Amino acid sequence: MKKISYLLTLTIICILFFTTNSFAQDFKKLDVSPMDAAAYPSSHNEFYKLVKVTYSRPQLRGRTIESLTPNGKVWRTGANEASEITFFSHVLFGDKKVKAGTYSLFTIPGEKEWTIILNYDTDMWGAYSYDEANDVARVKVPVTEGKESLEAFSIAFDENATMYLAWDTLRIAVPIKKQ
């Protein structure tokens, strides 16, 4: 009798264990602004990396850049968490000397030029707690227009390590050189 009770109890526990979702992992739906990374050099065959940017990619979805990144206001250079940029060597960021390390990447959009900002504060959500006193470097770069429209905000590097920010037809180029 004890063996039957034991087997019955064990059977019920097994049925409950394998038929309930209480042990199943819940996965979130795909983020509307997925994370991405851009690096220079981008080839895995290169011996060293110079720079890597981790950011989220907001999409226009019928909105204008100006409504998402108002002129004259600090923007997190992407969506969700503030974008971060890591330099693996000391660099010239535009015309500013910057030591190797990880920094948050902010921008201040303008009609004819954008200010690109490196800041010591990392691991922050958006630009809500941005503190200008912790800026490492500020570089002003002209706004240009590309031929193709990009729905999602994108960052890429060319063969000279110039970092491009692109969205819709807006293009911003920031030169980066190893010191």
Side-chain angles (χ1 to χ4, degrees):
M1 187 70 157
K2 279 186 176 182
K3 283 185 179 181
I4 293 173
S5 291
Y6 176 74
L7 286 173
L8 184 59
T9 303
L10 185 60
T11 303
I12 291 171
I13 289 172
C14 286
I15 290 170
L16 289 173
F17 180 77
F18 290 110
T19 60
T20 49
N21 286 335
S22 62
F23 298 101
Q25 177 65 46
D26 292 328
F27 290 95
K28 294 169 64 174
K29 293 182 179 176
L30 185 63
D31 192 336
V32 295
S33 298
M35 283 195 101
D36 200 357
Y40 176 83
S42 61
S43 170
H44 66 282
N45 294 327
E46 295 292 333
F47 180 69
Y48 72 94
K49 290 279 184 230
L50 179 63
V51 59
K52 178 180 170 186
V53 179
T54 305
Y55 67 106
S56 290
R57 300 182 69 191
Q59 299 176 37
L60 290 173
R61 291 184 284 148
R63 303 171 291 183
T64 64
I65 291 176
E66 293 77 18
S67 68
L68 298 168
T69 61
N71 286 343
K73 300 215 181 210
V74 174
W75 179 51
R76 60 185 140 201
T77 317
N80 305 327
E81 293 183 38
S83 298
E84 290 186 354
I85 187 166
T86 300
F87 299 109
F88 298 95
S89 300
H90 300 332
V91 298
L92 279 176
F93 184 76
D95 60 350
K96 308 291 187 206
K97 291 182 178 182
V98 176
K99 292 182 179 179
T102 300
Y103 307 94
S104 55
L105 177 66
F106 294 100
T107 51
I108 301 175
E111 195 173 309
K112 298 198 186 291
E113 69 180 10
W114 281 30
T115 302
I116 313 301
I117 304 167
L118 301 179
N119 187 281
Y120 283 117
D121 296 330
T122 58
D123 298 316
M124 55 197 308
W125 183 262
Y128 304 108
S129 57
Y130 165 77
D131 184 354
E132 185 177 344
N134 294 325
D135 285 355
V136 174
R138 284 178 168 233
V139 176
K140 292 186 183 243
V141 291
V143 172
T144 61
E145 191 169 330
K147 294 177 183 173
E148 109 181 71
S149 177
L150 296 176
E151 172 67 21
F153 173 73
S154 299
I155 298 177
F157 291 91
D158 69 9
E159 65 281 353
N160 298 315
T162 299
M163 179 176 69
Y164 289 90
L165 310 179
W167 205 2
D168 194 14
T169 58
L170 176 101
R171 302 294 186 269
I172 306 293
V174 184
I176 298 173
K177 293 188 182 354
K178 186 175 178 179
Q179 284 190 40

